[in-house]
Amino acid sequence: MIDDKRMKEDRFERRPSEVSLTEASLLEVKNLKTYFPISSGLFSKVKGYVKAVDDVSFSIQRGTTMGLVGESGCGKTTIGKTILRLTEITSGSVTFDGIDIHALDRRALRALRPRIQIIFQDPYSSLSPRMPVGEIIGEAVREKRLVAPEKFDDYITGIMKDCGLQEYHKDRYPHEFSGGQRQRICIARALALNPEFIVCDEPVSALDVSIQAQIINLLKALQAKYGLTYLFISHDLSVVEHISDTVGVMYLGNLVEYADKASIFDNPLHPYTMALFSAIPVPDPDVKTNRIILEGSIPSPANPPEGCKFHTRCSYCMEICKLEVPQMQTIGAGHQVACHLYKDGRRIG
Amino acid sequence: MMDREESIQIKDRPHKNLHEDKPPEEHVSRSSALSDEQRLKVLSPGMLVIKRFLRNRLAIIGLIIIAFMFVFSFIGGLVSPYDESQVFKYIGTMSKEYASVTYNEEYRYVMADGRDYNAAAHAKFILARNTGKTTFTHQDTEYVIVEEGDAFYRIVSSQPIADITSFRGIVAINALDGEALTESLRASATEAILSGATQFTSEGVLYTVTQNGREYVLGRTGDAAIESKNILEPAVAGTTIGYSFAYEAEKAVRAENVSSFTVDGQTFEIEEEENLSVIYAVTDGGKTPYAIFSRMAIQPISQDVFLSLAFKKQLIESVAAGEAGFVQADQAGAEIEYSLSRLNNVYTVKSDTLTHLISIHEQPSWTHWLGTDKHGMDVMTRLMYGGRISLTIGFIVVLLESAIGVILGGLAGYFGKWVDMLIMRIVDVFNCIPFLPLLIILGSIMDTLEIDPQLRIYYLMFILGIMSWPGIARMVRGQILSLREQEFMIAAEATGLSVGRRIFKHLVPNVVPQLIVFATMGLGSVILYESTLSFLGLGVKFPLASWGNIISGVTTAYEMTNFWFVWIPAGMLILLTVLGFNFVGDGLRDAFDPKMKR
């Protein structure tokens, strides 16, 4: 599937920054806050805010994949969209390759767009139903003149082959494809712009398991080939475990734990992470899993609890949890957690 | 599907036809050729829509109806030998009013030569006579009424000829300049003054005495006019009747046992009949009719017709006998039937005359396939021209409302926020305006301003378009609002496409299907609206045709029941066209619906 010869010929020159900054993190998110105003009444008076993302910081190294997990509605997708500036930021910053995305003007933003792409959860609604597939994939490439017009067809064909699509699919319309094929089209559309960073917003959750594996493997292969960096948003922990290098766990707009894959899966520190990971099914009927059942449901992000947002459902809840917001602290080698159970690098509770 | 069936057949074949020398490998390879590339030719969404549409039988019927309407209206008008407002006529007999007869109850006057006795003086005479006075004044001239017979008066006016002063029985008469008074006149005047008389006769001339304090004015009278209820008319064309003739004739007719009289040396003879007298002028060779004298006023309806003596005689006879009609030969000798009808005191004489007549409500025939209407115009041709107007109005109005609706709805949907708020409130306001009353008012304003019918059509299109865009704007806004949040729009934004490309390549193609359906359905309703307005007399005005005003031409139950060919075809055309557009609209909606199987 991966054709090195074509890669050398057709891919355009890598930007110098990519070469020089191999060690630096490609994406840096600092104190990101995205609030949505709740307005009501005759004059749309703002009554409050839905704190979809509330003070989140992390960074992603070039060529790695960060998995972002959490319950529905915890703000994963909002982070993805805010990174692409599809949603405006409330405060904080998103720095991509040294560029503050939210400080850019319209023109500069449009110029930057091809470098960061997104793959959506629903492959059915993310393709325009009245456009042939070749046009969907190549539209932005043509508009931005990323390749010479005479090479255009070959370029698109190459991208489609990379994504496991055939050349004759070009003239077909999205409704003629299966879910997995459509997701391949979405990946091809993102890939055609030669991005460095792709936000994968639950790209496999709408697909059945066998197709999920194909897509995940495709993403991994493409990452290996093009040196892509992924932010992989999912609520499926096994998928995240498979693809990620680092994993962030979100709860109600906050990042509660962030570490590399091995340490977080082997040694989850935050009570929420523990509960979450205990829910991973084990494909062996004889193994008894010690599942932690969380009481209650996720509180409303419009009116989150005081102190630690998780304290209403936490079995380790202490007095301090109800009063003080826990700060991110590093335990061991780069294992970050935001919980009052830990202090000065060790567990106290 | 085809491939699969074929493969099954091919698989079966080797068992049956093993003797055939075709290698089985070929069959195997053909059956395994069922690859993605060899699937049925894949259709674009547009082609799929057309395919689905053509499969819908009702939609095809609608399409055929609409095509027929277009051919009928736009080509039919060119093929038809007649014009839109060509009026058809034929020559036929028609009973026309010819003359009227009244028994005269009013005084009529004949003025003496050189006098100015006019209608105003006549009115004053009537007033004086009714109040029993014997004198009246008009324009500083005093007139004296002299009764000559029953309903026959002579009006005389007096002119001052002398001033008279009377003092204790002594009368001094001073003649005015240029007047010479005879001795007998002076004596008569003195006598009259002393006796206090106001009138006296001397040597056959009537004199008047008017007192003014101690002074008197002596006036000599002269004939001014005669007033009579009898009518004296010339018997032959070209004769004029003079005052002295009229006076003498009236006196002679009234007097018993007088059968002739003389005026200015000409002798006239009177032939009295029951209701009229004929006066003949006696010449050396015999006598010729000169005038007719009667109480009957006979007047022709047309001023240039002169009624002959024989006609008048016959007419008066028939009126007196109470007959319903009579036959009278005209000047050329042809016998013409006249009918008599009476209304109050007026008898109307009608005769059948040949004239150009308009072929009103002619039954359908080969020359007029659907007959003619009440204006004598060909119904078929008017239907064709009416269809042009109805369809043109439909299309232009829909284009106009779609243009406004798409632009405003698109703006509202794409930009949202206050733009959306503003435009949607405008839409609300438009939806609050009562459509029909407004159009009725505008229609009557256009009537008052007497706007040209052609121009009126453009105004109508404009008004209908302006009034009906909110529906489309609302629909487009809703569509765009929902499309804007679709992930493919977010993806398009993420790929950094320009706003224009996002709108025109991603949004608009997805709104067009609904728009086409909406507009097609709208066409039918606009045509219906135009018909309604024309029917109410607010839309297209006669003589221009539209289906609505063809129907509204039929206003009475009589026309409706007897002349079906005028209104039923127009009604059918409206019904079929609206039905056709609705069928096509429904068909398009089903065809555009992606949930429909292909």
Side-chain angles (χ1 to χ4, degrees), chain A residues 73-322:
Chain A
C74 68
K76 306 186 297 285
T77 300
T78 308
I79 285 189
K81 285 189 175 172
T82 310
I83 288 170
L84 271 89
R85 205 176 161 183
L86 295 172
T87 302
E88 289 299 324
I89 203 167
T90 305
S91 73
S93 69
V94 177
T95 313
F96 173 79
D97 200 10
I99 305 161
D100 184 355
I101 292 177
H102 285 266
L104 294 175
D105 63 12
R106 212 171 265 274
R107 181 178 290 237
L109 180 68
R110 268 187 65 201
L112 181 75
R113 286 259 186 242
R115 297 178 64 187
I116 315 172
Q117 283 301 300
I118 185 166
I119 298 165
F120 289 103
Q121 174 179 6
D122 183 3
Y124 293 89
S125 76
S126 57
L127 297 173
S128 178
R130 306 203 159 262
M131 248 189 210
V133 166
E135 183 64 18
I136 290 175
I137 296 169
E139 191 185 15
V141 177
R142 200 199 320 254
E143 201 196 60
K144 296 194 170 295
R145 300 176 200 283
L146 295 181
V147 289
E150 63 272 14
K151 284 188 187 169
F152 179 78
D153 278 342
D154 288 340
Y155 177 71
I156 298 299
T157 309
I159 295 285
M160 286 174 74
K161 286 202 168 138
D162 277 355
C163 297
L165 296 164
Q166 302 303 310
E167 188 174 359
Y168 62 83
H169 287 149
K170 263 188 194 173
D171 300 326
R172 298 203 174 163
Y173 286 84
H175 68 267
E176 297 167 57
F177 290 91
S178 67
Q181 280 175 310
R182 281 164 180 241
Q183 201 59 284
R184 287 171 193 272
I185 296 166
C186 292
I187 294 169
R189 172 173 60 191
L191 208 60
L193 291 165
N194 188 27
E196 290 154 55
F197 181 70
I198 298 179
V199 174
C200 305
D201 185 3
E202 311 203 31
V204 294
S205 59
L207 308 173
D208 62 59
V209 178
S210 61
I211 308 293
Q212 278 187 13
Q214 289 178 17
I215 297 294
I216 295 295
N217 291 332
L218 172 65
L219 286 171
K220 286 191 94 169
L222 292 171
Q223 183 172 37
K225 182 176 171 184
Y226 296 125
L228 296 168
T229 309
Y230 291 141
L231 173 65
F232 194 93
I233 298 166
S234 181
H235 54 251
D236 188 335
L237 292 165
S238 47
V239 169
V240 169
E241 188 178 4
H242 185 68
I243 198 167
S244 305
D245 299 308
T246 56
V247 175
V249 180
M250 278 191 79
Y251 182 78
L252 210 60
N254 287 122
L255 195 63
V256 293
E257 192 165 356
Y258 179 48
D260 59 284
K261 180 172 74 181
S263 68
I264 202 167
F265 274 90
D266 294 344
N267 180 29
L269 297 179
H270 197 280
Y272 178 66
T273 316
M274 292 179 211
L276 206 60
F277 287 180
S278 75
I280 300 175
V282 179
D284 182 351
D286 296 332
V287 174
K288 290 266 178 214
T289 53
N290 191 15
R291 218 176 138 188
I292 303 166
I293 308 291
L294 288 177
E295 305 259 318
S297 59
I298 189 162
S300 162
N303 187 21
E306 294 285 313
C308 175
K309 283 177 182 172
F310 187 59
H311 82 257
T312 52
R313 301 167 80 190
C314 184
S315 49
Y316 303 96
C317 181
M318 302 176 291
E319 271 310 302
I320 189 171
C321 298
K322 294 176 185 171

Side-chain angles (χ1 to χ4, degrees), chain A residues 269 271 274 316-321 324 326 329 331 337 339-349:
Chain A
L269 297 179
M274 292 179 211
Y316 303 96
C317 181
M318 302 176 291
E319 271 310 302
I320 189 171
C321 298
E324 243 177 73
Q329 50 189 311
I331 312 282
V337 66
C339 184
H340 291 299
L341 281 175
Y342 304 93
K343 203 170 184 186
D344 304 327
R346 57 191 182 84
R347 185 168 173 146
I348 53 164

